[in-house]
Amino acid sequence: MAHWIRLRAAWAALMLIVGVSILSPKAVEAQVELNLRDADLRSFVEIVSEATGRSYVLDPAVRGTVTVLAPDDMTPAELNEVFLSVLELNRLTIVQGDGSDRIVAMSTARELSPGGADGGTFETRVIKVEHIPLSDVVEVVRPLLPAEAVLTPVAGSNMLILSDRGQNHRRIEALVRRLDQPKESPVEIMRLRNANAAEVLQVVQAMDIIPEGSSVTADQRSNALVISGPPSLRRQVRTLASRLDTQQNNTVSRAIGLNYAEAAAMADVVLRSLQNQSQDGQPSGEIRIVPEPQTNTLLITAPLEQMDDIHAMVRYLDRRPSQVLVEAVIFEMSVEAFSDLSVQFGAILDAAVVGGAQFSLSGRTSLTNLVSGVVSGAAVDVGDGGVIASAPSGDSGLAALLTAVASSRTTKLLSTPSIMTLNNEEAEIVVAQNVPFVTGSFTSTGDGSNPENPFQTIERQDIGLTLNVTPQINADRTVKMVIKQEVSTLTRNTASTGGEITSKRALSTSVLVNDGNVVMLGGLLENGSGSEKQAVPGLSKLPLVGGLFRGKNASKSQRVLLVLLRPKVVNSEEEAKRLSQALAREAKAASLAIQPADEGNYPRSPQGGLPFDGADLNQPFDAGFVDDVAQSRNFPPLPTRLRFGGN
């Protein structure tokens, strides 16, 4: 009685800590408030049983304390989840029964069966095993039995004798029935059409994919594989055999038309690629590729399994190539200045200069030449600039020559050549005059004094502008260019050996430029000067009259040369059309700026403007010229113009 009173007092204390509050008339909606600190585990089970209405049977080993802190109220379902978590933390679990559940340690739960009406009786039963070995069943079942249970295998009759509680009998019998299933190992026959069954069997065995208890054999009479095993094995062998069972020497032919690449170059690239594959251990088979240049077509004969790869390779290489518009600017300006001042005089006796001052400067005649010309009556060229000359009237007298000149010459050259070319293709533009140069002469005199069959050898050279470029477009849209550029002009000066002197500026280089950027290829800044002075020693330093005894000329020159270049990558037809229209508009504006003004008087100034303004380039090349002339002069009607682009 005292023990019972102590239990009730403990229960009252726990209820004061826990507190159960009914929030509504319905029991299922009762709310439980938990606030346990180091409470007895068995008492906590009693609280859960009261709240959930479930009966529990506790194993004697159930001991311990529990701490549960829950700031909010919980429903019975939530309380049950907390209860399961507390059991799991204490290595306990619930074995459910019909009327009550058992709380036991996890280590012993596997030995217990669900409760029932006759679950506590101890029985001995015989379990028949038909399809699997008894040893396999015993190995699986024995760990699931309690220590007091007895399991005896009877190998001769393929039976098990089990002594245990009734509920465990039903659990073990259900487990044995699931394990005791007939072994499914259907046999599949796979016939081969082209490959040899024995050779395919060797490949399958070498791959080590046949599990224990399965087999794959070859039937020589029907050339088939006999497979016995699980579906996964049959599926693997079926896939492998289908790939090996290919027809030998199964070659096909196909004609592939090319859009952009050249058939001969494409055939060489593809064949070399397939030869490299053969050297690497992948035989390319009997492959023939014949280029047909007239239709730009490849005629390919290859094994069927390789034809798709060859076709894909050709289509990948036969892509529209990119183009490069190369714009160059060549700017050159030169200034040359020259000044000269000299005084020459002397006494003439018998048509000879016997005294005075005479100088021989570049570009000037001498006093002796002046006197000789006057005496002989020939015309004398005294040079450019200001000249004061006095000559004797006879063979004797006094002659004098005063010359002074200052000259300057300016030259400006601006060339902007442009050229469009394909990627990795050399392009060249030449805008020049073909000038003949005499390289030699020959005369056959024969027997007489008169020459016979005289002739000269002449070599023609281009004098003007030449631009040669080979662009290469890289993956990062940079352009590598190999450039050869030359600008040559005629100087209008003649060499002492004969022939005109030409001026030449040339460069040869390789550059790397980003798409659309400008790069300077070369430049020159030249500043030169020189002077020439002749004087009579002593007398030339006299004051006032010293200038009569000296002569001097001076020259100065400056030259600036710049060569710039800009590449533009053109990837599509629309981009090429847009660039062409922009250049046409610029050419139209330039032609209108430089054409002569027509004053309306005879003769009329011809109009030489570019006929295209960039708005529509797909028009006849004679647009705005032939028909207009025919109509203004009443010529007979002209045939219809050729139209472009369906116009």
Side-chain angles (χ1 to χ4, degrees):
M1 185 64 181
H3 179 68
W4 172 251
I5 293 173
R6 286 195 299 271
L7 288 177
R8 296 301 296 176
W11 166 248
L14 287 173
M15 289 302 294
L16 289 175
I17 297 174
V18 177
V20 178
S21 60
I22 305 299
L23 301 179
S24 66
K26 298 181 181 180
V28 294
E29 297 180 357
Q31 300 292 314
V32 180
E33 180 181 356
L34 286 181
N35 189 10
L36 301 179
R37 298 181 182 273
D38 297 328
D40 183 66
L41 181 59
R42 289 175 171 266
S43 299
F44 179 63
V45 174
E46 184 177 356
I47 295 173
V48 175
S49 176
E50 290 286 343
T52 59
R54 188 70 180 174
S55 300
Y56 296 103
V57 178
L58 277 66
D59 188 271
V62 176
R63 292 286 187 274
T65 59
V66 60
T67 299
V68 179
L69 303 177
D72 298 328
D73 296 343
M74 293 185 295
T75 63
E78 295 173 344
L79 177 61
N80 187 61
E81 291 294 330
V82 174
F83 178 56
L84 295 177
S85 300
V86 170
L87 294 180
E88 184 178 358
L89 291 175
N90 287 272
R91 306 301 296 170
L92 301 174
T93 187
I94 296 177
V95 179
Q96 294 181 352
D98 293 338
S100 62
D101 299 336
R102 285 167 287 176
I103 300 178
V104 297
M106 289 185 178
S107 59
T108 61
R110 62 183 181 180
E111 303 173 358
L112 303 178
S113 62
D118 56 350
T121 60
F122 204 84
E123 300 177 0
T124 300
R125 296 185 184 182
V126 177
I127 302 175
K128 181 68 173 178
V129 180
E130 298 179 355
H131 303 289
I132 61 176
L134 288 177
S135 58
D136 295 345
V137 178
V138 173
E139 184 179 356
V140 175
V141 172
R142 188 175 296 279
L144 305 177
L145 296 175
E148 63 271 13
V150 178
L151 179 65
T152 304
V154 182
S157 58
N158 210 29
M159 292 185 298
L160 289 174
I161 300 176
L162 175 62
S163 298
D164 199 358
R165 294 187 298 273
Q167 289 184 348
N168 267 349
H169 274 292
R170 290 192 295 272
R171 181 168 64 95
I172 298 301
E173 287 178 353
L175 178 60
V176 171
R177 282 196 300 270
R178 295 190 62 180
L179 295 175
D180 190 24
Q181 299 293 330
K183 183 179 180 181
E184 295 182 0
S185 55
V187 177
E188 180 178 347
I189 299 178
M190 182 180 300
R191 299 184 182 274
L192 304 179
R193 296 183 178 181
N194 303 298
N196 185 273
E199 296 177 355
V200 175
L201 177 61
Q202 293 179 358
V203 176
V204 173
Q205 293 175 344
M207 296 185 66
D208 195 18
I209 61 176
I210 304 175
E212 185 179 356
S214 304
S215 64
V216 180
T217 58
D219 183 13
Q220 298 292 342
R221 296 176 301 172
S222 60
N223 193 36
L225 293 177
V226 181
I227 309 170
S228 175
S232 59
L233 173 64
R234 299 198 305 271
R235 184 169 55 255
Q236 288 180 333
V237 176
R238 191 183 306 113
T239 302
L240 180 60
S242 62
R243 295 184 178 180
L244 296 176
D245 188 25
T246 57
Q247 183 177 356
Q248 299 179 355
N249 299 326
N250 186 15
T251 59
V252 294
S253 298
R254 186 177 299 176
I256 302 177
L258 303 180
N259 296 322
Y260 307 104
E262 293 185 8
M266 179 69 73
D268 180 63
V269 171
V270 175
L271 281 176
R272 284 192 287 113
S273 174
L274 296 175
Q275 290 173 0
N276 291 337
Q277 291 182 5
S278 177
Q279 294 174 2
D280 294 339
Q282 301 178 3
S284 59
E286 186 63 27
I287 299 177
R288 290 180 297 169
I289 302 178
V290 179
E292 202 287 309
Q294 185 172 359
T295 59
N296 200 32
T297 304
L298 293 179
L299 305 178
I300 304 176
T301 301
L304 179 61
E305 62 273 10
Q306 291 186 289
M307 182 58 73
D308 291 340
D309 294 338
I310 297 175
H311 187 271
M313 186 186 305
V314 171
R315 284 305 174 207
Y316 179 80
L317 296 176
D318 185 31
R319 294 183 296 178
R320 179 188 178 92
S322 299
Q323 301 182 92
V324 181
L325 175 63
V326 181
E327 299 175 314
V329 175
I330 305 170
F331 175 77
E332 182 179 5
M333 185 174 67
S334 61
V335 178
E336 297 179 0
F338 175 79
S339 60
D340 172 75
L341 176 62
S342 63
V343 177
Q344 303 179 57
F345 63 92
I348 308 301
L349 181 62
D350 295 332
V353 178
V354 295
Q358 177 177 274
F359 307 108
S360 177
L361 298 176
S362 300
R364 288 299 181 187
T365 186
S366 64
L367 182 64
T368 302
N369 294 336
L370 175 63
V371 172
S372 300
V374 171
V375 173
S376 62
V380 180
D381 183 11
V382 295
D384 299 330
V387 178
I388 299 177
S390 174
S393 57
D395 293 339
S396 301
L398 183 66
L401 177 62
L402 172 64
T403 59
V405 66
S407 65
S408 63
R409 184 171 63 181
T410 302
T411 302
K412 180 180 179 181
L413 174 63
L414 177 63
S415 301
T416 57
S418 301
I419 189 169
M420 177 86 80
T421 180
L422 291 174
N423 185 24
N424 286 318
E425 293 291 338
E426 181 182 359
E428 184 179 51
I429 181 173
V430 178
V431 182
Q433 293 178 332
N434 195 254
V435 180
F437 291 92
V438 178
T439 58
S441 61
F442 178 78
T443 302
S444 176
T445 57
D447 297 333
S449 59
N450 296 326
E452 296 180 2
N453 301 325
F455 68 90
Q456 293 178 328
T457 57
I458 296 176
E459 179 183 357
R460 291 185 174 272
Q461 297 182 5
D462 292 333
I463 303 299
L465 184 144
T466 301
L467 174 63
N468 184 288
V469 60
T470 304
Q472 174 184 319
I473 304 174
N474 301 322
D476 57 351
R477 290 187 68 86
T478 58
V479 182
K480 177 184 178 182
M481 292 177 291
V482 179
I483 303 167
K484 296 180 181 179
Q485 195 168 30
E486 178 181 323
V487 179
S488 56
T489 56
L490 298 173
T491 61
R492 300 181 182 178
N493 295 325
T494 304
S496 59
T497 57
E500 189 168 2
I501 300 175
T502 61
S503 175
K504 177 181 176 181
R505 282 81 66 197
L507 63 85
S508 177
T509 183
S510 298
V511 295
L512 184 66
V513 193
N514 286 334
D515 178 22
N517 288 3
V518 179
V519 62
M520 186 179 74
L521 302 181
L524 172 66
L525 179 60
E526 185 181 71
N527 191 352
S529 62
S531 63
E532 183 180 2
K533 180 179 179 181
Q534 293 181 355
V536 177
L539 297 178
S540 61
K541 297 182 179 181
L542 293 176
L544 299 179
V545 297
L548 300 176
F549 298 94
R550 61 176 178 264
K552 179 181 179 181
N553 63 19
S555 62
K556 185 177 182 181
S557 63
Q558 289 183 337
R559 176 175 297 176
V560 177
L561 173 64
L562 292 177
V563 181
L564 307 175
L565 186 141
R566 175 172 59 192
K568 292 182 179 179
V569 179
V570 181
N571 293 319
S572 62
E573 183 66 24
E574 291 74 13
E575 191 173 358
K577 182 178 179 181
R578 179 177 57 81
L579 288 175
S580 300
Q581 291 176 341
L583 292 176
R585 287 192 293 269
E586 294 177 3
K588 179 74 172 182
S591 63
L592 293 176
I594 64 176
Q595 70 178 1
D598 188 4
E599 299 176 352
N601 300 326
Y602 182 83
R604 302 293 298 273
S605 299
Q607 301 299 316
L610 186 72
F612 303 108
D613 58 358
D616 182 16
L617 297 178
N618 293 323
Q619 55 180 309
F621 290 157
D622 58 357
F625 172 71
V626 176
D627 287 358
D628 295 344
V629 173
Q631 293 175 5
S632 62
R633 300 194 179 184
N634 298 323
F635 284 164
L638 295 177
T640 304
R641 300 184 196 147
L642 295 176
R643 293 287 178 178
F644 300 92
N647 297 331

